[in-house]
Amino acid sequence: MSNKLSFIQKLRNKIKQSGKNNSIEITNNKTLKLVNNTIYMSGNNNKLVIQENVIIRNSIIEIVGDNCSVIIKANCMIGDNCYLSCKDNSTLTIDENCGLSRNVKIMTSDGHPIFQNGKCINEAQDVTINHKVWIADNVTILKGVNIGSNSVIGIGSIVTKSAPENVILAGNPAKVVKENITWSP
């Protein structure tokens, strides 16, 4: 792991890590570009996986709690000022060929636990962005959301519910505004 850490640190990335049994798995190839990012990982048994041909610029990846995973599959582009947050026994997956524009926020939790009668009422939930999804500027995707393949999310949308394949989502809260679409990168 130390060779991989030094590889990504050379590209002006900051890595802050604490806890036990955490791993960072990065496919090291010539087309991988991780530049000026901050990666926070605290807790135990957490994992960050970044596959080949991924570009991530000026963004934050936060993994906090135990048994959390952030998986970014091949051929993805994550633009400036994105925030990927995975907390408390959840998984955030971005499948192959996805594009995140600027200022995209994806979170598997609400950020802080809320208790009622001593029981947590807002537990973290997985988020999955399936194959070839385009996410425009200033989009927020909240916990428990699964976005179907070949979909597009419009500028400034807040996605609170899952969506099927081949749709355009837009609004606050985001709703399907077009069906049976395709798009080209």
Side-chain angles (χ1 to χ4, degrees), residues 26-34 50-56 72-78 96-98:
I26 297 177
T27 303
N28 186 356
N29 67 29
K30 293 179 183 176
T31 56
L32 179 70
K33 293 181 182 145
L34 305 175
I50 301 174
Q51 294 182 349
E52 64 273 356
N53 303 322
V54 168
I55 299 169
I56 307 174
I72 303 169
K73 295 189 178 178
N75 307 312
C76 289
M77 192 283 301
I78 298 175
E96 294 179 351
N97 302 306
C98 288

Side-chain angles (χ1 to χ4, degrees), residues 93-165:
T93 304
I94 300 173
D95 207 343
E96 294 179 351
N97 302 306
C98 288
L100 282 65
S101 190
R102 294 168 296 273
N103 305 312
V104 172
K105 185 184 288 187
I106 303 175
M107 302 178 299
T108 65
S109 80
D110 296 333
H112 298 282
I114 299 170
F115 297 93
Q116 184 178 38
N117 301 321
K119 182 179 183 229
C120 183
I121 59 171
N122 67 332
E123 293 183 2
Q125 298 174 25
D126 296 348
V127 172
T128 302
I129 309 300
N130 285 287
H131 176 79
K132 196 182 165 206
V133 171
W134 174 248
I135 303 172
D137 290 7
N138 302 310
V139 168
T140 299
I141 298 175
L142 300 178
K143 68 181 186 180
V145 168
N146 183 327
I147 303 296
S149 297
N150 301 306
S151 292
V152 174
I153 303 174
I155 291 175
S157 297
I158 298 180
V159 184
T160 61
K161 295 187 178 175
S162 296
E165 297 180 346

